[in-house]
Amino acid sequence: MTRRIAFVGGGNMAYALATRLAQRTYEVVVAEPVAEQRARFGPPVSTTPENTVAVRGASTVVLAVKPQVLQSVVREIAPGMRDEQLVVSIAAGVPMAAIEGWLGQGRALVRCMPNTPALVGAGISGLIANAAVTPDQRNEAETILRAAGEVVWFDTDADLDAVTALSGSGPAYFFAVIEALAAAGTNIGLDPETAKRLVVATARGAAIMATDDDPAELRVRVTSPGGTTARALSILDERSFPESLDAAVRGAFERSRELARELSGASD
């Protein structure tokens, strides 16, 4: 039986998920007020400017709007929703309890934290579910997010704050490293395009190797005593590279918790 999934919001993440799901056994509708955004979606995805129209008849409703407007959107659609509908939120930073309060208690809700590589089908998402989510609904949420990459389940909003700091913000860390390495290659005589190509291919290969092996062990294998890699890593250690990364992730984690309090209006 064809299942209907409604996306409320037609931004980039919704586009990535909706267009992939529509190629499978799903009926997909996207609610988006901006005509130019709706125009990006072609058949078999259908679109509407009305949130309440999209939600009607859907088994799953994916909230894909900006965090700042999530409350008003949820309050708009909640009165017309059915008890058996699953709600999946991919709005960054808004805690489970806040969304539950706007929806009404007892609604099945899954909160997700995807990252930007999901746009090319290579993302990873952290998910949490409330007590109202059934095993079938849990599978449904996982299937939706797997359309854009890997899925990892967690237990609490605090876990998703950590996911936000590590994998949510993480692509920017790697982009910064790629940018810096490519610039370093240019500084020692390579042309910029070649330096970037070398760095991107190296990063891709290293990531593939680290998928099934311990990164620390891989680092040891590639680091010959007294060699070029050993010299480079010793300089990174002298300049506190690992400590800087740890501080960066901790800073992102703390900011994620601050934003969650701001977006929900809650306090400790």
Side-chain angles (χ1 to χ4, degrees):
M1 182 178 68
T2 300
R3 288 167 291 180
R4 179 181 172 93
I5 300 177
F7 285 82
V8 179
N12 289 334
M13 195 65 71
Y15 181 84
L17 291 168
T19 52
R20 289 184 173 91
L21 290 167
Q23 297 169 12
R24 307 178 185 182
T25 57
Y26 289 95
E27 177 188 350
V28 180
V29 59
V30 176
E32 168 57 52
V34 179
E36 291 79 4
Q37 289 282 76
R38 293 198 304 274
R40 296 194 305 163
F41 296 88
V45 177
S46 59
T47 61
T48 174
E50 302 294 334
N51 294 333
T52 54
V53 171
V55 168
R56 192 180 306 131
S59 60
T60 301
V61 176
V62 181
L63 303 174
V65 296
K66 294 183 182 300
Q68 294 82 0
V69 300
L70 183 62
Q71 180 176 1
S72 62
V73 166
V74 171
R75 290 193 183 279
E76 175 193 0
I77 64 174
M81 293 186 65
R82 305 186 315 277
D83 291 342
E84 66 271 20
Q85 286 177 300
L86 169 66
V87 177
V88 176
S89 173
I90 60 173
V94 184
M96 181 79 80
I99 305 172
E100 287 175 325
W102 303 331
L103 280 171
Q105 295 301 317
R107 181 81 64 187
L109 174 64
V110 171
R111 183 187 161 208
C112 310
M113 183 62 224
N115 62 2
T116 53
L119 302 178
V120 294
I124 187 164
S125 301
L127 284 68
I128 59 174
N130 70 3
V133 174
T134 68
D136 285 345
Q137 289 175 325
R138 185 182 175 99
N139 290 336
E140 180 82 339
E142 183 167 329
T143 298
I144 291 169
L145 271 296
R146 281 196 184 280
E150 297 183 50
V151 167
V152 183
W153 285 95
F154 295 91
D155 297 321
T156 67
D157 280 311
D159 293 329
L160 284 200
D161 288 333
V163 171
T164 299
L166 192 61
S167 63
S169 298
Y173 312 153
F174 287 99
F175 297 150
V177 169
I178 290 170
E179 181 184 17
L181 284 174
T186 302
N187 291 339
I188 57 176
L190 297 173
D191 70 85
E193 283 303 312
T194 300
K196 179 190 172 185
R197 181 182 175 189
L198 288 167
V199 171
V200 170
T202 301
R204 183 185 301 115
I208 291 170
M209 292 180 71
T211 300
D212 296 317
D213 283 302
D214 179 9
E217 176 60 29
L218 291 170
R219 174 181 51 76
V220 170
R221 287 184 211 165
V222 79
T223 307
S224 302
T228 57
T229 306
R231 171 73 67 84
L233 292 177
S234 70
I235 293 170
L236 288 177
D237 285 340
E238 289 172 2
R239 300 188 181 187
S240 301
F241 180 68
E243 290 83 357
S244 294
L245 280 181
D246 182 75
V249 172
R250 287 180 182 276
F253 174 68
E254 291 165 3
R255 182 56 180 151
S256 179
R257 298 184 74 180
E258 292 168 1
L259 287 171
R261 289 192 292 268
E262 293 170 10
L263 289 167
S264 66
S267 60
D268 290 338

